[in-house]
Amino acid sequence: LFLLPFVLSTFLLSFAESQGNRVDFRIQASQLGSPIGNKVSTINLWDLHGLPEETKDEGADLTKFVEHVQFMQATGGNDSRDLFQGEDYDFAPLLTACHRARALHAKPHIKLSVPDRMSKERKVEDFGVDVLPPDDYEVYYRYIQALAEALVKEFGKEEVRSWGWGVLVEFENASWFHDKEKTPEGSREAYFRLYDYSYAALESVLGEGIYIGAHAMACTEGLWDERDLLDHCAKERNAKTGRIGTPIRYFAVSFYDDAPDKPHPLTLAETVERIRERATEVGLKDLRYGVDEGRILGASKGHDATDLVWRIVGNTYQAAYDAHTFKIMVDHDIDYFSAWSYSSAGAYSGYPLIAYRVAERLHEFKDDRQVAVHASKQLQEGTECEAVAGFNEEDGCLHLTAYNFKFDILYADSVEAAFTCEVPFWKRKKVEVTETLIDDRCNFFCEWLKDKEKYHISDSTFHWSPQSGCLDIGFWDAKTRQFYFEELRPKYLKMANTPPVSTTRKMKVGRDGTLHLSTQLPPHGVVFYTIRRLK
């Protein structure tokens, strides 16, 4: 008898495996929810020089969907970030960066920071910047005020008013900012003061109503509780203006899963919800919520570290991971996820990664309202197959995406996905259905992995993780770098610019107002459907 539980569990596991993976989705297009918006609207840059003077025409056209460019720690912290020439202000580097962002049809989002020279005592932590607050906040105020004036002179007041502003990067992360004694209480008060003075300086030039907020670490415990900022902005006195309350329009978090097979203990939804709950408690009900940096921290080890270059893998895993993240954002009203990169060479240069192919499709949901989706699932343990649907009321277009995902980069099981689209307003009408499948066939990185083995290219070739998607940067070995650029890269460039497989067909909606679709989703594959009524 003692063997019975083991025998039974073995039988049930074998039975489940024999049944395979299948999900039946029911899409109720007449049941509309909230607007979805552009979840892939933003990209962040490590420094002001992250945008090239002109983009290479290699296919990764981020202007299709990127609307905002975040400049991290943009106004100081070390010699390369301080906007000074001798004793005088020198805002030219930031002006140039903003011009380049505007040339790419994007709005700058400037993360303010403290110049190194504004604190006599110097303390540098993990990110190579002086983390101390200014000795004199009035000096800092005049600096930010002068910066705003320079931007208005260069671009015009109404244009600059349409930009975004933030105060520091991960403000409760002690590696970015703390007081001289590194105490939670002192660091919190120093940041409140910095936020107050930053807002006041911008308001003095740009007027009220500017888009300003803050970026917290949030998914990991910081030096102090980042939610205290919400209390301060809602109820406490502004240190510069003396008014009660300081405007805050958005609250952003960082969110990183630890590795492809190791999700973070705190989910993205939980990370944002704990912020939203506090904001609601203190009466801040109209904040936008986003992720100002994140995705995946690391994977297998390269020569120096396990860190992923720009926090993305090149494997098709990244496609399903991003679709999985999109689903969470839609379900939990998270406005955007700012990416480090979508291309092989960083922001706005290089050829498309698999993540780019997903992002340009996710952008198609930006004007949609969410459609109700129900699912009946028969999946093996750990497999995630979900769908998101959106309907554009203006042009009458139904968008649908589904993905096959598991927190395992070696996952190798397919899922049979069937869709019953209930569209009673198209009963007996003809529609055009375009199906686009994003899988290994449109991912050059799969060929790179084969070549890596073929040419005996070791993992130690990269400074960081060899699973990094941004192949154009990060090589440690000069010989391999030369071989990659001269021999292999032209092939990958051609493959990366080959669009995903798409098929278009005309169908008729049934008398019962339903349309039936189905597909076989490969491991980490993502499918997109665009359904339009034909006149």
Side-chain angles (χ1 to χ4, degrees):
L1 287 178
F2 73 90
L3 288 174
L4 184 59
F6 172 75
V7 173
L8 183 60
S9 64
T10 302
F11 168 76
L12 291 174
L13 180 61
S14 299
F15 177 76
E17 289 177 346
S18 69
Q19 298 303 298
N21 287 327
R22 179 181 171 88
V23 180
D24 290 279
F25 292 105
R26 185 160 61 98
I27 317 298
Q28 296 180 293
S30 58
Q31 294 187 22
L32 300 182
S34 302
I36 291 176
N38 183 8
K39 307 299 189 191
V40 291
S41 65
T42 310
I43 195 164
N44 40 285
L45 298 179
W46 180 249
D47 60 42
L48 297 179
H49 310 291
L51 286 180
E53 188 169 350
E54 54 184 51
T55 58
K56 298 178 182 177
D57 185 18
E58 294 185 325
D61 181 11
L62 272 63
T63 62
K64 290 181 180 179
F65 53 86
V66 171
E67 300 170 4
H68 308 281
V69 177
Q70 295 195 46
F71 296 110
M72 314 289 273
Q73 201 81 359
T75 59
N78 57 33
D79 288 343
S80 67
R81 293 180 184 270
D82 289 2
L83 299 177
F84 283 88
Q85 189 70 258
E87 295 302 313
D88 298 325
Y89 300 144
D90 179 14
F91 300 125
L94 181 57
L95 297 177
T96 298
C98 291
H99 272 296
R100 290 178 181 177
R102 295 300 296 121
L104 294 164
H105 313 295
K107 297 284 189 181
H109 185 105
I110 301 169
K111 296 284 188 69
L112 303 176
S113 51
V114 182
D116 182 32
R117 64 177 62 198
M118 289 191 182
S119 55
K120 292 179 181 178
E121 184 180 337
R122 193 167 188 268
K123 195 166 287 186
V124 176
E125 303 281 2
D126 297 345
F127 298 106
V129 297
D130 185 359
V131 301
L132 296 180
D135 293 334
D136 187 332
Y137 284 87
E138 289 294 337
V139 173
Y140 170 78
Y141 174 90
R142 291 193 292 273
Y143 174 67
I144 299 302
Q145 189 178 54
L147 167 63
E149 290 169 347
L151 290 170
V152 167
K153 182 178 179 181
E154 187 79 8
F155 297 96
K157 184 174 180 178
E158 288 309 306
E159 170 62 27
V160 178
R161 277 182 54 82
S162 71
W163 297 0
W165 302 89
V167 184
L168 295 187
V169 173
E170 295 184 338
F171 59 78
E172 88 286 30
N173 183 343
S175 291
W176 278 115
F177 184 79
H178 62 72
D179 70 343
K180 292 180 180 179
E181 290 74 32
K182 207 173 184 177
T183 64
E185 298 78 14
S187 300
R188 179 177 58 237
E189 294 307 312
Y191 180 72
F192 290 172
R193 196 173 185 84
L194 188 73
Y195 188 90
D196 292 351
Y197 272 74
S198 297
Y199 172 77
L202 294 172
E203 183 194 57
S204 71
V205 178
L206 301 175
E208 297 180 350
I210 58 175
Y211 184 72
I212 188 169
H215 167 198
M217 191 163 50
C219 68
T220 301
E221 188 174 356
L223 187 59
W224 51 279
D225 190 336
E226 70 281 353
R227 295 172 296 179
D228 292 349
L229 175 65
L230 297 166
D231 298 27
H232 173 72
C233 288
K235 300 182 293 186
E236 297 175 2
R237 192 176 299 278
N238 182 291
K240 173 61 177 175
T241 66
R243 299 194 294 260
I244 298 297
T246 304
I248 181 169
R249 298 279 302 280
Y250 73 90
F251 197 111
V253 303
S254 293
F255 185 80
Y256 290 99
D257 280 311
D258 296 337
D261 59 349
K262 191 177 180 183
H264 195 277
L266 193 68
T267 68
L268 172 57
E270 290 167 340
T271 300
V272 173
E273 286 306 322
R274 64 189 294 274
I275 304 294
R276 197 195 310 266
E277 286 175 9
R278 177 69 70 85
T280 303
E281 284 175 13
V282 298
L284 298 172
K285 297 179 180 179
D286 297 320
L287 294 188
R288 295 184 78 239
Y289 297 91
V291 183
D292 271 7
E293 59 172 279
R295 289 161 109 178
I296 309 167
L297 274 175
S300 58
K301 189 178 185 302
H303 183 266
D304 297 320
T306 60
D307 304 54
L308 286 164
V309 177
W310 299 139
R311 306 310 188 213
I312 46 178
V313 296
N315 309 68
T316 305
Y317 174 95
Q318 190 69 50
Y321 178 90
D322 285 354
H324 148 91
T325 303
F326 176 71
K327 163 75 173 169
I328 294 170
M329 295 171 69
V330 171
D331 287 349
H332 294 274
D333 194 23
I334 301 170
D335 292 290
Y336 66 90
F337 195 118
S338 187
W340 287 110
S341 180
Y342 288 108
S343 69
S344 63
Y348 290 100
S349 61
Y351 50 85
L353 298 176
I354 194 75
Y356 170 86
R357 294 301 180 191
V358 173
E360 64 179 346
R361 295 290 174 177
L362 295 180
H363 175 249
E364 295 174 357
F365 287 79
K366 72 181 179 68
D367 297 319
D368 294 359
R369 288 176 63 190
Q370 187 178 8
V371 168
V373 177
H374 304 279
S376 174
K377 303 177 184 179
Q378 182 179 284
L379 296 171
Q380 295 176 28
E381 185 178 358
T383 297
E384 179 184 324
C385 183
E386 299 285 355
V388 175
F391 187 72
N392 186 322
E393 295 177 284
E394 187 172 332
D395 67 7
C397 182
L398 178 65
H399 294 108
L400 172 62
T401 183
Y403 59 88
N404 173 17
F405 176 68
K406 191 173 186 179
F407 278 104
D408 178 0
I409 208 162
L410 300 178
Y411 172 58
D413 295 328
S414 296
V415 171
E416 185 181 350
F419 308 89
T420 299
C421 300
E422 298 178 3
V423 281
F425 44 81
W426 286 344
K427 193 179 295 185
R428 296 186 177 184
K429 303 297 183 182
K430 288 184 178 180
V431 295
E432 181 181 78
V433 179
T434 299
E435 178 188 88
T436 303
L437 182 60
I438 296 178
D439 59 10
D440 286 350
R441 291 173 296 174
C442 59
N443 187 2
F444 73 89
F445 196 82
C446 299
E447 186 68 17
W448 156 255
L449 293 177
K450 294 176 185 176
D451 285 344
K452 187 169 171 287
E453 185 174 340
K454 177 181 177 180
Y455 296 110
H456 307 291
I457 299 173
S458 70
D459 287 354
S460 63
T461 294
F462 272 88
H463 280 291
W464 293 359
S465 174
Q467 288 174 283
S468 301
C470 300
L471 284 176
D472 287 12
I473 52 181
F475 279 109
W476 175 74
D477 178 67
K479 184 178 179 181
T480 307
R481 185 190 304 115
Q482 182 179 6
F483 178 62
Y484 164 76
F485 277 100
E486 293 183 0
E487 301 294 332
L488 300 179
R489 193 175 185 277
K491 174 176 64 173
Y492 304 147
L493 176 59
K494 182 178 180 181
M495 291 178 66
N497 280 309
T498 301
V501 175
S502 291
T503 57
T504 299
R505 61 189 185 277
K506 294 178 175 60
M507 301 179 69
K508 189 174 183 179
V509 177
R511 283 187 289 182
D512 60 351
T514 63
L515 180 71
H516 297 278
L517 305 168
S518 63
T519 192
Q520 194 77 13
L521 276 171
H524 296 137
V526 185
V527 69
F528 290 90
Y529 290 100
T530 301
I531 305 169
R532 299 179 185 276
R533 179 187 165 184
L534 293 173
K535 294 181 180 179

